[in-house]
Amino acid sequence: MNQRIFVTGGAGYIGSHTCVELLNAGYDITVFDNFSNSKPESLRRVERITGKSVQIVEGDIRDSETLQQALQSSGATAVIHFAGLKSVGESVASPLLYYDNNVVGSLRLLQAMQACGVRTLVFSSSATVYGNPVALPIREDHPLSATNPYGQTKLVVENMLREAF
């Protein structure tokens, strides 16, 4: 059996393209998505493009029980985390929605990973964590200073990851 990767938000634009690459590289994948910003059709396209099947679990990343059960039953040894809301403008209008989905959802994922003994994670952050650039190009050692709720939620998760791993 090939190594299985658990992909949260795998039906979205970046997630579905990543799924194609993972399948073409010989990995098996389980996609966990609530389809709030995507459609199941994107995963059917992934299957058509690659000729390989995708295990799909519909669920919300904030639902601890469903998330942990899906991760455990998938047999995944690693997680790629794309699940999150992503509009700067919407985050300004609805900051609590962004903290709930992006921060609480990521916390629930880390808890599920811990419970299932999965320690490998790729997190999709954002350049918004750097705020207004001091210099270009932006390097990873650039000062962190998010200027909107979306960027702040990504920065909070980055900080959680630094402390948890």
Side-chain angles (χ1 to χ4, degrees):
M1 183 169 137
N2 293 336
Q3 183 178 3
R4 181 167 293 274
I5 309 295
F6 192 83
V7 184
T8 67
Y13 180 79
I14 295 172
S16 62
H17 284 75
T18 300
C19 289
V20 167
E21 295 304 316
L22 289 169
L23 289 167
N24 284 338
Y27 292 96
D28 293 324
I29 61 172
T30 296
V31 170
F32 188 87
D33 204 305
N34 68 3
F35 302 110
S36 65
N37 284 319
S38 61
K39 300 209 180 315
E41 174 59 27
S42 67
L43 297 173
R44 289 189 285 275
R45 289 182 187 138
V46 166
E47 291 177 325
R48 282 195 303 271
I49 290 167
T50 63
K52 298 176 182 173
S53 65
V54 175
Q55 182 179 25
I56 303 167
V57 179
E58 185 171 355
D60 190 292
I61 194 152
R62 295 165 293 182
D63 180 347
S64 298
E65 186 177 318
T66 302
L67 179 61
Q68 184 173 327
Q69 186 176 59
L71 180 58
Q72 184 71 48
S73 65
S74 76
T77 57
V79 173
I80 300 178
H81 181 29
F82 294 119
L85 298 175
K86 61 187 180 322
S87 167
V88 170
E90 183 182 58
S91 79
V92 171
S94 302
L96 295 181
L97 175 65
Y98 272 66
Y99 278 93
D100 183 41
N101 192 85
N102 295 357
V103 175
V104 173
S106 296
L107 173 64
R108 296 291 178 257
L109 177 61
L110 294 175
Q111 291 168 329
M113 289 175 64
Q114 185 176 48
C116 296
V118 177
R119 295 200 38 86
T120 302
L121 172 71
V122 175
F123 171 60
S124 179
S125 191
S126 170
T128 61
V129 300
Y130 299 114
N132 297 318
V134 174
L136 294 173
I138 297 174
R139 296 169 20 128
E140 286 193 43
D141 61 353
H142 189 281
L144 300 171
S145 62
T147 58
N148 56 69
Y150 167 68
Q152 287 291 350
T153 65
K154 292 294 190 171
L155 190 52
V156 168
V157 175
E158 285 189 15
N159 289 330
M160 272 196 308
L161 292 171
R162 280 186 201 91
E163 294 170 2
F165 289 92

